[in-house]
Amino acid sequence: MMKNLLQILFSCVLFLGLQHTAWAQTEEHSIVVVGHPDTSSFPTLKVTIQMSNNDQPLEADFKLFDDDRTVIETFRLEAKAGEEAPTSGNLIFFLIDASSYPENIPLENFKRAVIESIDDFVTEADLINVGFFNKPKGDTRVLQLLDADFSRNFSQLTDQIRTRITSALEDSVKTNYAFKAIKEAIQTISNNFDEGRRLLIVLSGAPDNQDKSFTSDDLIKLADDQNISIHTINFKIDERFNPDLFERLSIGTNGKSEITRNFSDIKQTIGGILESRAQSQSDAIQQYELIFSVNVPQDGQSHEYTINYKEEPPLTLTYTAPGEAGSVSSGGFLNDYFWWIMILFLGAILGAGYWYANEIKIRRQEEEEANAEFLEQQEEEKKRLQQEKNRAVEELKEKNIRLEEQLRAKEQELLRKQEEALNQPPPIPAAPEKRDLKNTIISGGGAAPVFKVASAGMSKNFSLNKPLMTIGRAANNDIVIPEQTVSSKHATISIQKGSFFLNDLGSTNGTFINGTRIESKMLKSGDLIKLGAAQCKFEI
């Protein structure tokens, strides 16, 4: 936007200003002033010059002075239009291989050589652009441009070469897209309609062409159709080095191909390409126009201007300003107030530019603040979720600890009951009483009662021939029932006053007599007993 505003300002200055020229010639200078100056747009003058030694002049080679010996700060140097005039410059495109082949030192050599070549060999009449390639972007394009169009802003391009061109180190497959990038570079050059020779200078590791969708012949035809010469500078990286394909591209398009080993070779090759380009231009006629404004009135009087070219002696020439001789015309309102109008106009343009730049800055700040706030909210949400997760984990840990404590307490209570039952002294037999033979083993001298067990995998009868017998899953019990639902120390059968009692030892799954859960109960012949999943029966 600012660039467009400045261009409008410059055009308005040219439109509102007036021009003048003068004629002179000397054999002691490299430049010859041809014909009378054009004063049709006075006080802006157009002076036609011709180089006597076929040099290609630059604006930096000139210094101009007004009639009062003040320096003329603003002027332009343009090639003079016409069939025999030289071209307005040359289109130069530098294509740098930034793939995984020339990473590190080779890539840095490429970048440094291009930067120094732009400073040393490229002229102000040239238009240049720089592109690089490593791996395809999302739209499958390989070529990445540092500028949308060709430019004379050399300092900006060299800064971008230093900062933006990086190697594709993440490309572990090491695929090279040189031919695809060359094709896209040719298309980019062909989109520019400026006159002049078109040069494509390729700096790469010269790998084999792995993209078979188009060959070197295809690229040569495409370059010939657009009048583009391809120059290749090759740097050997590994065994995939194949400079023959790149040399073929250069030969087929009247370009130059070199194999280089270091930075000096690369820069020297670029210099040779650009020097040969300059020498190949037409030597027939090299005429240019110096366009500048002077600060003198339209008085019809003779005035002077001075041209300094390089280190040569000053060339002072004269011209006649428009108007009647001997009179000084104010030039009307525009001439009297020209500089005030220009100052106000410039102030308005600069103010608009400042406002636009400030608006852009404010919008960027707002976007950055919004992004920062969004990121902060995301971070807070992550912290909140993590805190909830940590709390849930801590609650589960505490719950697990409480369950473990309850389990240990229950196991300790069970062990205590078992120890009490085992350590309890056998009861002192009471005096014999007359009892039913079915309820005692003492009267009548009958056989010992039987404890029948039936469970998965076993069926067995146990004789109750001891005052106290333990029942459980553990092997040290008197009655062993290998059933998972039976506790290791599940119950006991004891004889008290001639009767048999079944006592539960705090088992996990309980002890049942005829379907009723008990802690201690006297047994009668025929009682059905359930210990966990084991089915038992007491018989006398």
Side-chain angles (χ1 to χ4, degrees):
M1 178 68 179
M2 194 62 186
K3 180 179 178 182
N4 293 336
L5 291 173
L6 292 176
Q7 289 176 344
I8 294 172
L9 173 62
F10 190 62
S11 299
C12 290
V13 171
L14 293 180
F15 177 76
L16 294 173
L18 302 172
Q19 304 180 334
H20 94 299
T21 58
W23 175 88
Q25 179 171 340
T26 173
E27 296 180 354
E28 299 177 358
H29 295 78
S30 300
I31 61 173
V32 176
V33 177
V34 180
H36 294 284
D38 181 3
T39 60
S40 60
S41 299
F42 190 84
T44 298
L45 306 182
K46 289 185 179 180
V47 178
T48 300
I49 63 173
Q50 181 172 318
M51 308 306 298
S52 61
N53 55 1
N54 294 327
D55 285 344
Q56 184 175 6
L58 303 175
E59 289 182 1
D61 297 332
F62 292 88
K63 194 169 186 180
L64 306 182
F65 296 90
D66 206 341
D67 187 52
D68 58 357
R69 299 302 299 168
T70 58
V71 177
I72 300 174
E73 299 288 351
T74 303
F75 63 91
R76 302 198 316 274
L77 178 68
E78 295 182 353
K80 190 172 177 63
E83 294 182 356
E84 296 181 316
T87 60
S88 60
N90 296 274
L91 293 176
I92 305 171
F93 191 101
F94 292 97
L95 176 60
I96 299 176
D97 182 355
S99 66
S100 55
Y101 287 93
E103 60 189 18
N104 300 326
I105 295 177
L107 178 58
E108 292 303 317
N109 285 341
F110 288 164
K111 292 163 60 177
R112 179 184 170 194
V114 171
I115 290 171
E116 295 193 11
S117 296
I118 291 175
D119 293 337
D120 295 346
F121 306 125
V122 175
T123 70
E124 292 185 2
D126 295 328
L127 287 169
I128 67 171
N129 203 344
V130 180
F132 67 98
F133 64 93
N134 41 41
K135 64 177 184 178
K137 298 167 65 177
D139 58 0
T140 70
R141 278 184 57 83
V142 174
L143 180 64
Q144 300 185 50
L145 297 176
L146 298 188
D147 200 324
D149 201 354
F150 286 79
S151 170
R152 291 189 176 92
N153 192 347
F154 303 153
S155 60
Q156 177 179 335
L157 281 174
T158 53
D159 288 342
Q160 291 183 347
I161 291 172
R162 293 187 184 97
T163 57
R164 287 184 55 190
I165 299 180
T166 57
S167 177
L169 299 178
E170 69 275 14
D171 186 6
S172 58
V173 181
K174 294 188 178 296
T175 303
N176 189 278
Y177 302 93
F179 272 36
K180 183 173 177 60
I182 291 172
K183 178 182 179 182
E184 294 174 3
I186 293 173
Q187 293 171 342
T188 300
I189 297 173
S190 65
N191 291 334
N192 190 288
F193 299 103
D194 289 78
E195 296 181 356
R197 295 189 65 220
R198 300 180 170 193
L199 309 177
L200 172 58
I201 302 176
V202 182
L203 300 91
S204 79
D208 192 8
N209 178 28
Q210 298 173 338
D211 190 344
K212 304 303 181 183
S213 59
F214 48 89
T215 64
S216 56
D217 290 334
D218 297 327
L219 294 180
I220 291 171
K221 184 179 184 306
L222 185 61
D224 283 341
D225 292 342
Q226 300 299 329
N227 195 25
I228 299 172
S229 59
I230 303 176
H231 303 265
T232 56
I233 301 174
N234 307 312
F235 193 103
K236 183 174 182 180
I237 306 298
D238 54 28
E239 67 278 358
R240 285 166 286 193
F241 185 61
N242 188 7
D244 293 343
L245 285 175
F246 290 80
E247 183 179 9
R248 177 180 175 83
L249 288 178
S250 298
I251 294 174
T253 58
N254 296 320
K256 184 176 182 180
S257 180
E258 292 288 344
I259 298 175
T260 58
R261 297 171 298 177
N262 50 44
F263 159 75
S264 298
D265 289 352
I266 298 171
K267 181 179 178 182
Q268 183 177 358
T269 302
I270 294 175
I273 293 170
L274 297 183
E275 287 176 1
S276 64
R277 174 264 312 181
Q279 293 170 359
S280 65
Q281 294 179 357
S282 172
D283 295 330
I285 295 179
Q286 293 194 22
Q287 290 188 352
Y288 303 84
E289 282 186 341
L290 277 172
I291 304 172
F292 55 93
S293 296
V294 293
N295 187 24
V296 297
Q298 299 184 44
D299 55 6
Q301 301 294 323
S302 178
H303 297 276
E304 294 181 345
Y305 66 94
T306 302
I307 300 176
N308 282 13
Y309 178 69
K310 292 185 177 179
E311 302 299 326
E312 296 180 1
L315 184 62
T316 301
L317 305 111
T318 62
Y319 66 96
T320 301
E324 295 181 2
S327 66
V328 178
S329 173
S330 65
F333 174 83
L334 182 61
N335 193 53
D336 293 340
Y337 296 97
F338 174 76
W339 292 111
W340 287 108
I341 295 173
M342 292 309 303
I343 290 172
L344 292 175
F345 183 73
L346 178 61
I349 294 297
L350 293 177
Y354 175 79
W355 174 84
Y356 181 78
N358 192 53
E359 283 293 312
I360 293 296
K361 183 179 179 181
I362 292 173
R363 290 176 185 176
R364 286 180 178 174
Q365 288 178 346
E366 291 176 349
E367 290 177 358
E368 291 175 356
E369 290 174 357
N371 290 336
E373 183 179 355
F374 177 72
L375 294 175
E376 184 178 353
Q377 291 176 351
Q378 279 191 325
E379 190 64 28
E380 290 178 354
E381 182 65 16
K382 288 181 181 179
K383 290 181 180 179
R384 185 185 66 79
L385 294 176
Q386 185 62 39
Q387 289 174 353
E388 291 181 355
K389 181 179 179 181
N390 293 339
R391 283 196 298 269
V393 171
E394 291 299 325
E395 290 176 357
L396 288 175
K397 287 182 179 179
E398 292 177 359
K399 185 175 181 180
N400 189 40
I401 291 172
R402 289 195 298 270
L403 290 174
E404 289 179 350
E405 291 176 349
Q406 292 175 1
L407 181 60
R408 283 196 296 269
K410 196 168 185 180
E411 289 178 348
Q412 290 174 358
E413 179 66 18
L414 177 60
L415 291 174
R416 184 185 63 78
K417 288 183 179 181
Q418 290 177 349
E419 289 177 357
E420 289 178 354
L422 293 174
N423 295 329
Q424 182 177 358
I428 299 174
E433 294 181 3
K434 186 177 180 180
R435 293 182 178 274
D436 188 347
L437 291 178
K438 291 184 180 180
N439 295 328
T440 180
I441 64 171
I442 298 175
S443 300
V450 176
F451 192 78
K452 297 182 178 181
V453 179
S455 68
M458 73 165 287
S459 178
K460 189 174 181 180
N461 297 336
F462 293 90
S463 178
L464 302 177
N465 53 12
K466 292 172 60 177
L468 178 66
M469 298 184 73
T470 60
I471 307 171
R473 192 178 67 251
N476 59 354
N477 288 286
D478 297 307
I479 299 173
V480 179
I481 304 175
E483 171 64 48
Q484 188 65 30
T485 58
V486 176
S487 299
S488 58
K489 293 290 185 180
H490 198 104
T492 62
I493 295 178
S494 61
I495 301 175
Q496 301 178 23
K497 296 181 181 182
S499 298
F500 289 87
F501 285 83
L502 179 61
N503 305 294
D504 184 75
L505 297 179
S507 63
T508 301
N509 296 312
T511 301
F512 297 83
I513 297 178
N514 299 322
T516 302
R517 185 165 184 167
I518 59 93
E519 291 185 359
S520 178
K521 186 175 182 180
M522 185 177 70
L523 294 171
K524 299 190 300 293
S525 181
D527 284 342
L528 297 178
I529 303 163
K530 184 172 181 284
L531 307 175
Q535 301 292 335
C536 308
K537 186 176 182 180
F538 174 77
E539 289 185 350
I540 297 178

